[in-house]
Amino acid sequence: GFYRGLTPGIFSSIQGGVQFLVYEECRHLALTSSYWRRSEDDDDDGKKANRHTDSESERKRKKRRHNKGHGYLPVPVTMACTVASKTVAMIATSPIEVVKVRMRHVGAGSEYTTVLNSIKTIWLREGLAGFYKGLGTNLIRLLPAQCTTFVVYERVKEWVLQSQRYDDDASAVRAVRR
């Protein structure tokens, strides 16, 4: 009884990998699309930099910030990528979750004693839809937290990258002054 549902529980860890794979692909598509990609002269608000008032170092900083696919994505785009990735991951792994829950929470004397018996019982009684029971509810429950997590992740990552670039720039300035 203590290890019931262990096998599907182990396989359900695949969900995180699927989510990050889809998220990174979505993020890459968003960064490389001409609609979301900022030009090298855009400032932090997406406005064109003024070549007459911005210094050369300021223009270079803005250019470095948004190149090589490591650029900034607006919050709505980050949230859209998160929703897409979590939805795909949950659709892909929902059958595993349903089998796991049935094996763990249904009485010990039932037909949900092994993975194969559980799959057979769900298929015969409920069909394909049985493997996706509770999917909508779980999405509604999990998506707000996932969106918050990924938006914070993207902002912290951008902050760390900016700090590293600032430190690199400061080190270069100190080296030139010596």
Side-chain angles (χ1 to χ4, degrees), residues 88-154:
V88 168
M90 287 187 73
I91 288 171
T93 59
S94 183
I96 298 169
E97 291 295 321
V98 169
V99 169
K100 177 181 76 173
V101 168
R102 299 277 175 98
M103 288 180 71
R104 287 184 181 170
H105 298 293
V106 176
S110 71
E111 47 281 304
Y112 300 107
T113 54
T114 66
V115 173
L116 291 177
N117 282 344
S118 300
I119 292 170
K120 179 181 171 186
T121 302
I122 294 168
W123 181 259
L124 292 175
R125 289 187 179 171
E126 304 169 53
L128 184 62
F131 291 103
Y132 293 94
K133 279 196 169 178
L135 179 64
T137 304
N138 278 331
L139 281 171
I140 291 169
R141 180 177 63 89
L142 293 173
L143 285 177
Q146 289 294 302
C147 286
T148 303
T149 299
F150 276 84
V151 167
V152 170
Y153 164 75
E154 288 292 336

Side-chain angles (χ1 to χ4, degrees), residues 1 3 29 49 52 82 84 90 92 94 99 104 141 147 157 162 174 177-178:
Y3 293 102
L29 286 172
H52 302 293
T82 302
M90 287 187 73
S94 183
V99 169
R104 287 184 181 170
R141 180 177 63 89
C147 286
K157 184 173 77 173
Q162 281 181 350
R174 282 193 296 271
R177 288 182 181 169
R178 289 183 192 163

Side-chain angles (χ1 to χ4, degrees), residues 66-99:
H66 300 292
N67 65 358
K68 298 181 182 176
H70 299 292
Y72 167 83
L73 281 180
V75 171
V77 178
T78 301
M79 292 174 73
C81 289
T82 302
V83 168
S85 64
K86 187 63 172 179
T87 302
V88 168
M90 287 187 73
I91 288 171
T93 59
S94 183
I96 298 169
E97 291 295 321
V98 169
V99 169

